[in-house]
Each structure stands twice: as structure tokens, then as C-alpha cells.
């Protein structure tokens, strides 16, 4: 049975039994920030188990894309070492949300495996949950297997929590489970005692896990009962394919064979050559699949979270490629096989084909260098490690690791892989120490230009004071007490006119720079003077510090002041911030869901937005994005800002930046149903305030990162005006209407080029005419005519052509042309055929070229030379007559 048929027959079987066939979710689950990647079929139904969501069906079946590379379910390190572990795999599953329970689940599973697929009963074993102190044993499942199915009691094992109590993660639905195991054959026995699925993982393979969902694990570990007992089953397609295709390794099934063959073809290493080369082939085959599916679901390599997993998989694959002797990029033909074989079931692979090529090629080139230099060194060091005392492992010191990392950018996890294979342990604590010291050094040098005591001062101030930020609703505040004044890093009682320093207020409407939004500017005005606010920072949590310059009078500690934000500037910033959210949402819609914010600047005069994307955004996409944002502005949509708990916010689907730390209470900014983002910035109340949104630039700024810039409000109007003024002035000067300007300029440039060409031709023919006239007066030496001329300003080709025609006109003689171009000079010699044996052009030019500090040569009738010293060109030309005379004499 082919794997495609197995998928089909699984789904058909459960569809016939009243199950809704549901599509696999993407690997990156849109609704679950607790998971890096989908790791089980039940993930997308999490809320249906807990009752938070209800669907119009209570039975479902899926083939789910899974990736087990992190968290509770992580097989990354095991891949390749066994015949049956994978990072990416497909999980066949049937589910009941409060519908059927244990008995039906067990009966349906047994009937499919033995009845429909014909797996012999005597090769199957069963496990059930044996209970712990706090969780009851699953006697019910045991009885169903024994009494209803007829499995011999000695083939039903009762195992502990680690094996037979399934959890999705630290939180989420869970329950006791029951597994089906398949006996691959007694010749595989790998233990001395009793060989059972519990003791012998070589001989037995788990094929299907039936989870009897009964609880939800809360934060802290407490088990709460689910609204109704439910079923979640999972069977790896790769394993059941091995069983039904009678293979002992998943890598021998039709899911992997073509991949292994492609690797063998590309590397020239035969499958089965050595244990190590097989290991590498398995890793590459596995990782190639994972990479394709990750990219297709919008992940791009980065140094953070999901992107890092992708990068790590790519790098491991690349390293194993090296081990098979593949030095350059090699993944392309292998990912091509993944796409070709899987696209029928997963069409997203076809759509992502280019992205997959691009991502893998880039990473292969980039990582290739790191790898080459780092690996050589690491290999040397590992080989040179002294043997350890008996029983102890050899250890690679932290300093070496740090050097590898610091000098070559060699990733620690890769070093761990390599060391692991040689039985060496890494001194990671030592590595951390070195990293820490380096950070300290960097900090010390950075502090050079700053007030040394400052961070300390802020810390101690923050312990006593706090600034309340009121800037979301206010831009001006009356009678706020000045809590602290600093001058040159020290607390003082006042700042006087001309002085620059810092001021802390009890409350402030001033926004401190954060999340890409620049700080507010404005004024602090007291009874005795006024200061301009130049910058605002939040050096420690709870403390907002204004950097000010007093321009009139004085600013005094404890006095009440008025804090006044520059309103027009704030309004401009606000427009750009709300526009940034609209831009982000539109980019995701137009360019793709893989677009993620990679950096942002929200300033009064413009906005800048960096995002992950591996190619230039097409002109039409840029236009589309701009049009969408403007349509949303014209629709004058409400912008709502609410505070809520982080969990609530994430549940509501708010876009959070991965790798960013959020407080428990967060602000969520929502624009109609278009955009929901966690954001601490200041925003418009309605999109209409933004005014015209104009994109002004789109370009790449780093591998996989694009940047767009845009204008809104007054700035886009100003740009429109200045562009318009240019057009108007062009209209006037050219005396034509605007719509004809582009054509007109094109035409005129064309004419100009034509005129230049004609002028050039006239100049060349002028020189030629003059020289031809002078032919008559060509000098005679030793009986030959010789014409020596300077032709500065002609091109090399023109000179050559001229020399040739002069040579022919001469009938019998020698032509020497010299030209200078800046510092450089060149010489060209032409000799008529009758003389070329007596005065070969090549030798003549070589001799003359010495004078201009150069060399050259060529045919006996036509030869060229260049030199670096144009100041001596005339000297070289003057020498020509003598040299020719000497040669004539010598050969006469
Ligand atoms: N959730 C269980 C597993 O992943 C059964 O689908 O094994």
C-alpha cells in the first residue's frame, strides 16, 4: 500500500464512521502562542476539548503536519540515530469531542489495523496506563482490550505516567493513553531479559496512541476535569507505512526512498555504505522535508525562535552534507524531490517553491564559510583533547568554544552535535562565563561617553519616585511637581538658563522612546522659567526622564510646572504609528503571512518599517499595499485601544512580536477587523486622521529583510507639493503639458545622444582628414616614409582604425600614433607589409613604450602598447624617427 493510499484509506474509514474530515492546520498555529509549532493532531482542536470553542461536529479526522523540535515533544537529537524518529512527520488522527469514548475508540482502531489493513494480530501488543499515587490506573481500558477485543492479558502492559499519560505541553488537555505496538521480528531482540515493548525498543515500534482526554492541565500543574471525556488518537504515517510496506525502517518506505536516492545521486555515496553515512543521509532526508514545510508555512531563517529552528535544521543538514563529501550547495535537488512527491497532498509546497530554493541556497552559501573554517578548528581541538580518566567524559573547554563562536560565528548547538558524535562534552558553563565577560567589556567601553554614575542614580531614584504616564489621553498637564533635577549626572536643586540636564516629574504626558516610536518633545514651564524638552527616556521601569535645556530663567526642584507636549509633532507621530499598523496588516495580506515586523521607526516626518521577506516586493504589490492602506484611511475606521491581560490579548489573536517581552497587562490596538497588535504607542482615534499615505521607498536592507518608507499627513502633502512644483516648472520650461513631459524628455535625450554621436564622428573624421593631408609631408628616414602624430581624444578603436587606413594610404612606410588619457598614455604602430620584416611593429612599439613606463606588443604590421607616464609621451614620439632609422640601417 502506497503512503498516499494509506492517508486516503484512513480518512475514508473515519468519514464512513461519521467523522468530519478537517484540513491540517499550518505548522505555525495561528491561534496558539504557547506552541512554537504544531506537534500533534489535537493542537488545532485544543479549545474544542476544553469547551472554549464549539464546532458544528463532534467527530473529526485529520492528517496533520507536525514538527517535534522543541518543548515537551522534541525528537531533533534522535533523528537519524533510529529508523523511526523525525522532526517533521504526518500524524493520522481521529477525534471525539465529548462524543464516543474508550470503547469505540479502541474498537475502531483495532478494526482498521487488523480488519481493513490486515496487520496480523499476533504481531500486536498493547499498553495501558498503570496509575500513580495521584492518578488511577486505567482498568477500564485493560478490560476492553482483554474482553471485547480478545487480546491475551500477557500482551497488555501496564505502564507509568511517562509512557501512558499524554500531555500536550505544560498546559492544555491531557489524559491516560493506550498504545498499539508492532513486533518487527524476534531476530531484532536487543535485550537479555524478557523482550517486550517496554524493554525492547529495537524490536517493537509504537504505531498508534489512543489518548482518553479527561483533564485540562492548568498553569501550576493542577488537573481540572474536561467538560466531557474525549478522544484524541495519533498514528505516524511514516511508521504505519513501514508496517504496511513491510519495511523495518521508515526511511525505506516510499515516503523517504526517493529522497535517500536523490541524496545518494548527489553525493555519490551508496545507501548502506557505512553506518555513519546512513546516519547523515537520514538526517538530510528528514531535515529537507522539515525545511520545505517550514518555509511553505511562512518561516524564514533568523536568530530567534521559529526562524532559528529553521536555520538550525538547515545547518545540521548542511553539516551532514559535508560529511558525505558535498562541499557546495546540494539541497536543491533534494528539496525538489520533497516538493514533487508531496505537492499533491500539500499544494502550499508548490506555491513556496521559489522561496524554498532561495532560503536554502542563501543559507548554504552563508553557512558554508562559517562551517569550513570553524569545523576544521573544532576537529583539530577535539582530536587533540587528552584522554579522560576512566569513567569520565572528555571535555572541550569553554574558552575554545567561545573562540569558535566569537571568531567564526560557529553555533554552539552545532558544536554540541559534533562533540556528541565523538563522545566529548562541552564546558557550556565556561562558555557562558566568557560570553558574560565579553558583554561586560562591551558595556564598559560603551559607557565611556556617558555619565558613569547615571544608571546607579536612576536605580536609586526609581526606588523612591515614580512617574505616572498620562500621555495616552493628555498632551498637557498643569501643576506637576518636579521630583528630581539632575545636572551632569548628579542631583541638584535647580537648572539655570543655558544649562542642559534631566528632570523627573510626578506625572507626564511626554512619551519616552519605545517600540520604534520616537520620544515627544515640547516644553516644561515653571513660575521662574522655561525649558525645552529635547528627549525623553525610560531608563528603568517606572521612571520617565526628560532631557531639557533651560532657555529662560530657572527650573527649580519641587516647584510645580506645566508639562506641554509639542502637539503638532505628536499628531504627526500618531498618524505615522497608526499608518504603520495598517501597513503591517496590508503587507501580510498582499505579500504573505510570513511577513513579520523586523524593525520600525515612527517619527513625526516619516515612518520606516522593516519586515521579513526574501525577495524584492514587486511594484504591483507595493502599489496594492499603498492602495489598501489609503482605502482604509478613507473609510475612516475607528481605532480602539484597550488594556487587558497578556493571555487574553493573545487569545484574541493580537499580533505579538516574538522575542519581545511583554508585561502582564498590555495595550491592544485594534483597527476595525483589519489589525490587532500589542502596542504601547500613541494612536489616532480614527484612520481618517492619517491623511494621504504615500510609500516612498522599498528596498532590501539585509538578507531576508526588506524596508519600506512612507509619509502621511502634512509630510505627504509637502511631498506632493514639492513634486508638483517640479512638474510645473518643467511644464513651463518645456512649454508642454505635464502628461507629455516624460515622452518629451525621452525624445530629447535621444536627440542629444544622436547629436553627440554625430559630433564625435565629425571630430574623428576631422583628425583623419588632417592626417591624410599631412601624409604628403611624411618624413623620410633611411628611405621609408614615417608619419608620427599625437591623437589625444580619440578612442582606442578609433586610433586603431586610423592607423590602419593611414598605413594603407602610405603605400610603404611606418605610422606611429600616440595618445594620452589622464595619466596614462598609449602608442600604436602600423607598418606596411613590405617593411614588416625589417621594422616589425611589435618590436618598435615595445622599444618606444619603455619611455612611457610600459610595455606591449602585437603583430608585425600593427601593435599597441600602454604606459603609466603620459608626461613622456611626446619624448617617445620624438624618438620614433631615430629608432626606425637605426633599424633600417641595421637591416639594410
Ligand atoms: N496527541 C497524541 C500524540 O501526539 C495522540 O494524537 O501522541
Amino acid at each position: 500500500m502506497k503512503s498516499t493510499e494509506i492517508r486516503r484509506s484512513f480518512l475514508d474509514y473515519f468519514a464512513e464512521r461519521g467523522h468530519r474530515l478537517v484540513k491540517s492546520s499550518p505548522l505555525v498555529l495561528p491561534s496558539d502562542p504557547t506552541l512554537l509549532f504544531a506537534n500533534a493532531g489535537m493542537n488545532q482542536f485544543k479549545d474544542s476539548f476544553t469547551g472554549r470553542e464549539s464546532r458544528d461536529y463532534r467527530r473529526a479526522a485529520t492528517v496533520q503536519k507536525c514538527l517535534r523540535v522543541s518543548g515537551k515533544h522534541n525528537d531533533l537529537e534522535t533523528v537519524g540515530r533510529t529508523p523511526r524518529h523525525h522532526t517533521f512527520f504526518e500524524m493520522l488522527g481521529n477525534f471525539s469531542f465529548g462524543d464516543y469514548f474508550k470503547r469505540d475508540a479502541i474498537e475502531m482502531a483495532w478494526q482498521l489495523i487488523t480488519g481493513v489493513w490486515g496487520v496480523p494480530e499476533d504481531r500486536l501488543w498493547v499498553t495501558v496506563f498503570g496509575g500513580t499515587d495521584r492518578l488511577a490506573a486505567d482498568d477500564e481500558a485493560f478490560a476492553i482490550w482483554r474482553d471485547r477485543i480478545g487480546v491475551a492479558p500477557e500482551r497488555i502492559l501496564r505502564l507509568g505516567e511517562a509512557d501512558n499519560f499524554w500531555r500536550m505541553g505544560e498546559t492544555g488537555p491531557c489524559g491516560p493513553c493506550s498504545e498499539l505496538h508492532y513486533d518487527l521480528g524476534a531476530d531484532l531482540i536487543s535485550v537479555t531479559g524478557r523482550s517486550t515493548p517496554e524493554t525492547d525498543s529495537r524490536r517493537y515500534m509504537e504505531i498508534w496512541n489512543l489518548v482518553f482526554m479527561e483533564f485540562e492541565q492548568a498553569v501550576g500543574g493542577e488537573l481540572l476535569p474536561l467538560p466531557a471525556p474525549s478522544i484524541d488518537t495519533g498514528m505516524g504515517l511514516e511508521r504505519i507505512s513501514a508496517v504496511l510496506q513491510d519495511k523495518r525502517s521508515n526511511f525505506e518506505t516510499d515516503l523517504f526512498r526517493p529522497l535517500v536516492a536523490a541524496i545518494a545521486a548527489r553525493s555519490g555515496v551508496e545507501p548502506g555504505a557505512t553506518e555513519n553515512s546512513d546516519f547523515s543521509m537520514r538526517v538530510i532526508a528528514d531535515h529537507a522535508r522539515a525545511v520545505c514545510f517550514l518555509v511553505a508555512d511562512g518561516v524564514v531563517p533568523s536568530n530567534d525562535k521559529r526562524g532559528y529552528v529553521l536555520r538550525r535544521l538547515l545547518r545540521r543538514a548542511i553539516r551532514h552534507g559535508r560529511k558525505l563529501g558535498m562541499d557546495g550547495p546540494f539541497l536543491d535537488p533534494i528539496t525538489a524531490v520533497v516538493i514533487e512527491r508531496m505537492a499533491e497532498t500539500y499544494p502550499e509546497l508548490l506555491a513556496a517553491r521559489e522561496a524554498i530554493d532561495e532560503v536554502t541556497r542563501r543559507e548554504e552559501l552563508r553557512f558554508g564559510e562559517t562551517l569550513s573554517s570553524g569545523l576544521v578548528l573544532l576537529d583539530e581541538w577535539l582530536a587533540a583533547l587528552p584522554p579522560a580518566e576512566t569513567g569520565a567524559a572528555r571535555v572541550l573547554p569553554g574558552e575554545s568554544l567561545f573562540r569558535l563562536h566569537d571568531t567564526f560565528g560557529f553555533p554552539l548547538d552545532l558544536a554540541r552535535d559534533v562533540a556528541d558524535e565523538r563522545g566529548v562534552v562541552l564546558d557550556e558553563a565556561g562558555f557562558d562565563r566568557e560570553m558574560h565577560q565579553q558583554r561586560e567589556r562591551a558595556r564598559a567601553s560603551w559607557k565611556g561617553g556617558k555619565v558613569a554614575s547615571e544608571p546607579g542614580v536612576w536605580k536609586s531614584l526609581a526606588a523612591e519616585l515614580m512617574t505616572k504616564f498620562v500621555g495616552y489621553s493628555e498632551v498637557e498637564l498643569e501643576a506637576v511637581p518636579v521630583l528630581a533635577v539632575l545636572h551632569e549626572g548628579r542631583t541638584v536643586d535647580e537648572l539655570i538658563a543655558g544649562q542642559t540636564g534631566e528632570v523627573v516629574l510626578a506625572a507626564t504626558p511626554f512619551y519616552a522612546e519605545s517600540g520604534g516610536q520616537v520620544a515627544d518633545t515640547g516644553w516644561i514651564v515653571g513660575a521662574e522659567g522655561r525649558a525645552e524638552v529635547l528627549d525623553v527616556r525610560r531608563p528603568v521601569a517606572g521612571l520617565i526622564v526628560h532631557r531639557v535645556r533651560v532657555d529662560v530663567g530657572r527650573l527649580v526642584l519641587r516647584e510645580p510646572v506645566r508639562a506641554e507636549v509639542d502637539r503638532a509633532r505628536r499628531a504627526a507621530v500618531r498618524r505615522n504609528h497608526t499608518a504603520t499598523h495598517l501597513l503591517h496588516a496590508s503587507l501580510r495580506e498582499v505579500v504573505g503571512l510570513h511577513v513579520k515586523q523586523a524593525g520600525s521607526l515612527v517619527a513625526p516626518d516619516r515612518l520606516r518599517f522593516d519586515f521579513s521577506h526574501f525577495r524584492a516586493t514587486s511594484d504591483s504589490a507595493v502599489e496594492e499595499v499603498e492602495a489598501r492602506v489609503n482605502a482604509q484611511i478613507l473609510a475612516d475606521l475607528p481605532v480602539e485601544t484597550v488594556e487587558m491581560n497578556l493571555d487574553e490579548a493573545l487569545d484574541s489573536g493580537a499580533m505579538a512580536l516574538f522575542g519581545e517581552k511583554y508585561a502582564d497587562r498590555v495595550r491592544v490596538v485594534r483597527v476595525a477587523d483589519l489589525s490587532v497588535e500589542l502596542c504601547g504607542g500613541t494612536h489616532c482615534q480614527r484612520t481618517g486622521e492619517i491623511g494621504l499615505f504615500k510609500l516612498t521607498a522599498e528596498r532590501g536592507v539585509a538578507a531576508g529583510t526588506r524596508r519600506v518608507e512612507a509619509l502621511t499627513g502634512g509630510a505627504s502633502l509637502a511631498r506632493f507639493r514639492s513634486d508638483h512644483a517640479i512638474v510645473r516648472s518643467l511644464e513651463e520650461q518645456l512649454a508642454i503639458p505635464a502628461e507629455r513631459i516624460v515622452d518629451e524628455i525621452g525624445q530629447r535625450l535621444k536627440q542629444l545622444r544622436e547629436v553627440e554621436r554625430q559630433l564625435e564622428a565629425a571630430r574623428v573624421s576631422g583628425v583623419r582628414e588632417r592626417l591624410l593631408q599631412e601624409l604628403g609631408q611624411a618624413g623620410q628616414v633611411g628611405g621609408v616614409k614615417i608619419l608620427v602624430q599625437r591623437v589625444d581624444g580619440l578612442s582606442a578603436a578609433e586610433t586603431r582604425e586610423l592607423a590602419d587606413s593611414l598605413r594603407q594610404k602610405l603605400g610603404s612606410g611606418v605610422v606611429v600614433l600616440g595618445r594620452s588619457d589622464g595619466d596614462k598614455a598609449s602608442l600604436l604602430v602600423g607598418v606596411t607589409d613590405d617593411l614588416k620584416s625589417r621594422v616589425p611593429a611589435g618590436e618598435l612599439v615595445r622599444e618606444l613604450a619603455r619611455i612611457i613606463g610600459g610595455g606591449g606588443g602585437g603583430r608585425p604590421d600593427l601593435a599597441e602598447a600602454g604606459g603609466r607616464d603620459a608626461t613622456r609621451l611626446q619624448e617617445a614620439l620624438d624618438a620614433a624617427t631615430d629608432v626606425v632609422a637605426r633599424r633600417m640601417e641595421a637591416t639594410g
Side-chain angles (χ1 to χ4, degrees):
M1 225 177 164
K2 294 219 176 60
S3 50
T4 328
E5 289 157 8
I6 299 174
R7 271 192 213 103
R8 198 60 265 156
S9 105
F10 177 87
L11 292 175
D12 287 348
Y13 176 86
F14 283 101
E16 281 159 20
R17 284 159 184 76
H19 290 66
R20 174 75 60 87
L21 302 187
V22 178
K23 248 182 77 162
S24 169
S25 78
L27 281 174
V28 178
L29 281 144
S31 59
D32 196 340
T34 66
L35 279 176
L36 215 46
F37 299 107
N39 64 22
M42 55 74 61
N43 295 155
Q44 65 169 320
F45 302 115
K46 180 172 140 186
D47 291 343
S48 303
F49 287 113
T50 58
R52 280 188 197 97
E53 179 192 5
S54 74
R55 302 185 177 228
D56 64 351
Y57 48 86
R58 291 170 69 201
R59 299 178 170 208
T62 58
V63 180
Q64 171 67 43
K65 301 185 275 187
C66 295
L67 194 70
R68 291 197 166 170
V69 288
S70 61
K72 196 165 180 62
H73 300 283
N74 184 348
D75 289 329
L76 182 60
E77 316 283 337
T78 320
V79 171
R81 297 181 201 275
T82 75
R84 61 181 83 120
H85 284 90
H86 304 290
T87 55
F88 172 85
F89 68 100
E90 293 168 85
M91 189 185 271
L92 309 173
N94 57 292
F95 308 92
S96 146
F97 315 113
D99 192 44
Y100 61 84
F101 198 45
K102 286 185 201 177
R103 207 187 72 193
D104 290 327
I106 291 175
E107 284 181 356
M108 282 192 276
W110 187 261
Q111 168 61 19
L112 175 61
I113 294 274
T114 60
V116 179
W117 287 342
V119 175
E121 296 188 7
D122 62 3
R123 302 198 84 170
L124 294 171
W125 285 60
V126 173
T127 65
V128 298
F129 181 48
T132 63
D133 301 348
R134 51 179 204 137
L135 293 163
D138 195 354
D139 295 331
E140 189 191 347
F142 190 97
I144 297 172
W145 284 116
R146 186 190 53 200
D147 306 334
R148 295 198 61 93
I149 308 290
V151 178
E154 62 277 14
R155 288 230 174 165
I156 311 176
L157 304 174
R158 294 169 183 270
L159 302 184
E161 199 173 347
D163 291 302
N164 280 63
F165 194 94
W166 197 85
R167 289 180 169 85
M168 179 185 123
E170 295 313 318
T171 58
C174 57
C177 61
S178 182
E179 295 173 349
L180 274 166
H181 290 254
Y182 179 77
D183 182 354
L184 289 162
D187 56 319
L188 288 181
I189 290 182
S190 65
V191 290
T192 45
R194 190 163 170 245
S195 165
T196 72
E198 184 182 9
T199 58
D200 199 341
S201 65
R202 193 163 101 135
R203 172 175 172 188
Y204 296 96
M205 169 165 77
E206 179 208 327
I207 53 173
W208 203 345
N209 185 14
L210 317 180
V211 185
F212 311 128
M213 290 293 191
E214 287 183 77
F215 308 103
E216 175 177 13
Q217 181 156 318
V219 181
E222 198 188 346
L223 295 181
L224 312 168
L226 289 182
S230 297
I231 290 296
D232 150 33
T233 87
M235 169 161 55
L237 174 68
E238 297 71 12
R239 291 188 182 185
I240 192 66
S241 298
V243 170
L244 299 180
Q245 294 171 9
D246 204 16
K247 305 287 185 209
R248 285 184 162 175
S249 160
N250 295 0
F251 293 92
E252 286 163 23
T253 64
D254 66 339
L255 286 164
F256 283 95
R257 252 193 343 248
L259 281 173
V260 173
I263 299 166
R266 176 68 183 74
S267 64
V269 179
E270 284 299 314
T274 67
E275 187 40 46
N276 276 339
S277 62
D278 277 357
F279 173 38
S280 293
M281 286 184 175
R282 289 192 290 261
V283 172
I284 296 171
D286 174 276
H287 289 9
R289 293 190 344 144
V291 164
C292 290
F293 278 92
L294 276 170
V295 175
D297 277 349
V299 181
V300 287
S302 73
N303 286 330
D304 192 40
K305 303 270 163 127
R306 297 184 172 119
Y308 188 66
V309 169
L310 172 57
R311 175 159 282 166
R312 195 167 165 208
L313 287 166
L314 275 164
R315 291 180 166 186
R316 291 181 100 227
I318 295 166
R319 191 173 70 81
H320 281 280
R322 290 289 163 98
K323 292 173 77 168
L324 294 179
M326 297 184 281
D327 278 335
F330 66 91
L331 280 168
D332 184 49
I334 297 153
T335 52
V337 175
V338 176
I339 299 169
E340 182 196 308
R341 308 281 307 187
M342 305 282 275
E344 204 188 309
T345 318
Y346 301 100
E348 64 267 35
L349 290 174
L350 272 191
R353 163 171 265 153
E354 267 180 58
I356 293 170
D357 283 355
E358 178 80 18
V359 162
T360 46
R361 193 177 45 82
R362 220 176 252 220
E363 202 65 14
E364 287 193 281
L365 293 177
R366 236 174 91 147
F367 188 51
E369 285 159 32
T370 303
L371 200 58
S372 307
S373 1
L375 267 184
V376 169
L377 210 62
L378 180 59
D379 274 334
E380 275 172 21
W381 288 343
L382 289 174
L385 280 183
E389 288 172 27
T390 25
R394 293 183 304 153
V395 177
L396 187 69
E399 272 161 52
S400 315
L401 279 175
F402 179 73
R403 227 182 101 199
L404 208 57
H405 171 85
D406 202 42
T407 322
F408 300 100
F410 201 83
L412 185 65
D413 50 43
L414 199 57
R416 197 184 296 130
D417 276 356
V418 178
D420 215 35
E421 283 162 25
R422 298 199 185 29
V424 173
V425 181
L426 304 184
D427 171 16
E428 293 188 31
F431 173 81
D432 291 342
R433 261 196 314 278
E434 296 282 339
M435 280 294 269
H436 178 73
Q437 280 168 13
Q438 192 201 35
R439 240 176 260 135
E440 288 298 304
R441 281 194 296 274
R443 194 166 298 149
S445 65
W446 171 79
K447 236 170 29 187
K450 294 232 158 202
V451 182
S453 63
E454 215 185 81
V457 172
W458 298 136
K459 266 219 189 80
S460 55
L461 277 180
E464 296 162 26
L465 318 172
M466 205 179 100
T467 318
K468 189 169 151 56
F469 176 64
V470 299
Y472 290 133
S473 53
E474 320 291 331
V475 282
E476 191 178 318
L477 210 57
E478 290 287 351
V480 226
V482 174
L483 297 186
V485 180
L486 272 87
H487 186 239
E488 295 184 346
R490 263 175 290 278
T491 47
V492 291
D493 287 339
E494 61 174 22
L495 283 175
I496 56 167
Q499 280 185 333
T500 307
E502 276 86 17
V503 171
V504 179
L505 304 177
T508 184
F510 281 89
Y511 184 86
E513 196 231 296
S514 123
Q517 178 176 332
V518 299
D520 281 329
T521 60
W523 303 271
I524 293 178
V525 187
E528 294 181 48
R530 192 183 71 173
E532 195 183 343
V533 176
L534 309 168
D535 192 14
V536 187
R537 291 186 300 137
R538 196 190 288 266
V540 287
L543 200 67
I544 297 176
V545 177
H546 309 79
R547 179 149 188 86
V548 301
R549 187 181 46 233
V550 176
D551 36 37
V552 188
R554 61 187 68 220
L555 213 59
V556 184
L557 181 66
R558 282 184 286 273
E559 295 276 287
V561 293
R562 185 173 81 235
E564 195 185 326
V565 171
D566 180 338
R567 284 186 170 74
R569 187 172 174 279
R570 162 71 84 82
V573 169
R574 189 158 60 213
R575 286 187 195 102
N576 281 336
H577 207 152
T578 305
T580 300
H581 285 210
L582 296 180
L583 170 65
H584 189 185
S586 292
L587 278 169
R588 285 170 61 89
E589 269 171 37
V590 175
V591 180
L593 289 178
H594 60 274
V595 165
K596 267 184 282 144
Q597 175 168 344
S600 155
L601 170 73
V602 177
D605 57 337
R606 73 204 157 108
L607 69 90
R608 195 176 72 204
F609 187 77
D610 293 351
F611 61 99
S612 52
H613 183 50
F614 20 79
R615 243 173 300 134
T617 325
S618 69
D619 287 349
S620 64
V622 171
E623 268 173 35
E624 170 75 17
V625 167
E626 190 182 82
R628 272 176 192 243
V629 173
N630 280 303
Q632 292 157 4
I633 292 170
L634 290 180
D636 197 22
L637 304 165
V639 182
E640 294 160 347
T641 324
V642 275
E643 268 207 12
M644 52 174 94
N645 288 330
L646 180 59
D647 288 346
E648 239 178 295
L650 294 175
D651 276 350
S652 77
M655 236 187 311
L657 300 184
F658 271 93
E660 194 93 335
K661 275 222 178 66
Y662 291 100
D664 289 342
R665 291 290 289 175
V666 292
R667 293 178 86 241
V668 173
V669 178
R670 174 190 294 276
V671 187
D673 56 355
L674 293 168
S675 143
V676 196
E677 288 195 39
L678 297 190
C679 176
T682 58
H683 284 272
C684 301
Q685 293 192 330
R686 304 192 68 92
T687 56
E689 289 166 44
I690 296 171
L692 174 66
F693 171 84
K694 181 76 193 100
L695 281 175
T696 52
E698 193 282 340
R699 62 176 183 280
V701 283
T705 308
R706 311 289 308 173
R707 166 171 294 178
V708 287
E709 291 181 32
L711 304 173
T712 65
S716 56
L717 177 63
R719 170 65 72 92
F720 177 72
R721 282 189 161 148
S722 73
D723 286 357
H724 188 61
I726 295 172
V727 173
R728 281 240 309 272
S729 131
L730 285 173
E731 278 181 324
E732 263 165 40
Q733 289 182 50
L734 298 169
I736 50 167
E739 58 274 16
R740 280 182 40 210
I741 292 178
V742 173
D743 276 350
E744 180 71 24
I745 291 189
Q747 292 253 332
R748 289 194 185 201
L749 284 175
K750 215 166 114 196
Q751 282 168 6
L752 196 65
R753 275 192 296 271
E754 177 58 23
V755 170
E756 276 171 358
R757 202 188 54 73
Q758 286 173 5
L759 217 74
E760 188 60 23
R763 194 170 56 84
V764 175
S765 79
V767 175
R768 184 200 313 262
E769 287 308 307
R770 184 168 52 82
L771 288 180
L772 288 177
Q773 274 165 20
E774 282 176 11
L775 267 187
Q777 301 136 35
Q780 288 265 351
V781 279
V784 266
K785 279 187 257 172
I786 174 162
L787 182 65
V788 182
Q789 280 293 339
R790 235 181 124 129
V791 292
D792 292 356
L794 290 196
S795 72
E798 287 159 359
T799 314
R800 216 170 296 132
E801 198 217 329
L802 186 63
D804 211 34
S805 62
L806 289 172
R807 192 173 59 110
Q808 280 163 29
K809 289 262 160 41
L810 268 182
S812 169
V814 176
V815 184
V816 180
L817 301 179
R819 93 199 146 84
S820 74
D821 181 8
D823 292 345
K824 282 182 272 158
S826 55
L827 288 165
L828 206 135
V829 174
V831 178
T832 49
D833 287 342
D834 55 325
L835 297 173
K836 66 188 183 193
S837 57
R838 299 182 63 189
V839 194
E843 286 179 22
L844 179 52
V845 87
R846 203 169 305 126
E847 194 167 342
L848 297 177
R850 255 181 250 131
I851 303 176
I852 54 170
R859 308 196 316 243
D861 56 343
L862 199 65
E864 292 180 60
R868 282 176 306 274
D869 191 357
T871 58
R872 296 185 65 191
L873 179 60
Q874 199 51 52
E875 202 180 314
L877 291 175
D878 291 344
T881 314
D882 277 354
V883 177
V884 172
R886 226 183 321 109
R887 291 207 170 241
M888 291 303 290
E889 239 179 76
T891 52

